Amino acid sequence: MKKTFLDIYDILFFRAESIVKDKDDAYDILQDLFVIIDKREGQYDKIPNKRGYLYGMVSKKALEFLRNRQRHAEIEKSITIEVFHEDSDHSLDIDEMLSRLTDLQRQIVKMHDIEGFSCFEIAIKITRTPVAVKKQLALAHKKLKEYYKNGF
């Protein structure tokens, strides 16, 4: 299956890019798909049309990516800068809120929100996929919002 994937990589890339409309995101989708294929190599032996199967997998992953991106955008919009205003009802202790996150989430939030690194750059630095970084960032933002709403 890996050989078929590499043989039609350009076609798969074009398909992913046509759905998500971004080359970097299309690259991320194909990278994640290759990891999945690599982990499950023996499971694909009985599939008669490997090219068609891969094309369908790319389409599915690209659409899933769009759904996740929409969810992440909604979460990020809901965490507004007003949380950090002085006239806030809660006394805000950023360090206390961050300490409640996992070590990975705290690291990603600091790199993304404070230092300004992109998810792709963070993924390279911490040896994760960009999709995994985006998921952890969204989870961290969701937790931070809940902590703030509940007054810690």
Side-chain angles (χ1 to χ4, degrees), residues 11-151:
I11 295 168
L12 299 175
F13 183 83
F14 180 76
R15 177 63 178 162
E17 185 184 15
S18 70
I19 293 172
V20 297
K21 309 290 190 233
D22 185 272
K23 288 183 183 205
D24 291 335
D25 292 336
Y27 174 78
D28 292 344
I29 290 166
L30 289 181
Q31 182 181 8
D32 289 343
L33 183 57
F34 187 81
V35 170
I36 291 168
I37 290 168
D38 189 43
K39 287 181 180 178
R40 302 177 186 168
E41 182 61 33
Q43 296 178 4
Y44 301 109
D45 294 340
K46 295 182 182 179
I47 296 172
N49 183 1
K50 290 178 175 49
R51 293 170 69 103
Y53 187 79
L54 286 170
Y55 194 82
M57 284 180 74
V58 166
S59 299
K60 179 183 172 201
K61 288 290 180 189
L63 292 171
E64 182 180 303
F65 175 85
L66 288 178
R67 284 190 298 275
N68 287 338
R69 182 168 58 182
Q70 183 179 359
R71 280 190 221 122
H72 293 183
E74 290 170 8
I75 291 170
E76 287 180 15
K77 281 181 190 176
S78 66
I79 300 175
T80 61
I81 197 69
E82 70 186 45
V83 171
F84 301 102
H85 285 191
E86 293 175 19
D87 60 347
S88 175
D89 294 343
H90 300 288
S91 61
L92 185 62
D93 184 357
I94 300 296
D95 291 330
E96 172 66 23
M97 289 173 65
L98 289 175
S99 71
R100 295 178 178 213
L101 300 175
T102 66
D103 290 337
L104 178 63
Q105 289 172 340
R106 187 171 37 257
Q107 182 182 13
I108 291 171
V109 166
K110 286 182 178 180
M111 291 175 78
H112 185 269
D113 297 339
I114 297 171
E115 297 172 15
F117 288 104
S118 71
C119 289
F120 183 75
E121 293 168 326
I122 295 169
I124 291 170
K125 288 180 182 279
I126 65 171
T127 62
R128 297 275 201 288
T129 65
V131 173
V133 169
K134 290 174 188 176
K135 285 180 183 178
Q136 288 299 314
L137 183 62
L139 287 171
H141 284 168
K142 185 177 180 180
K143 284 181 183 178
L144 290 171
K145 181 181 176 186
E146 289 172 10
Y147 296 154
Y148 176 72
K149 279 185 175 181
N150 297 331

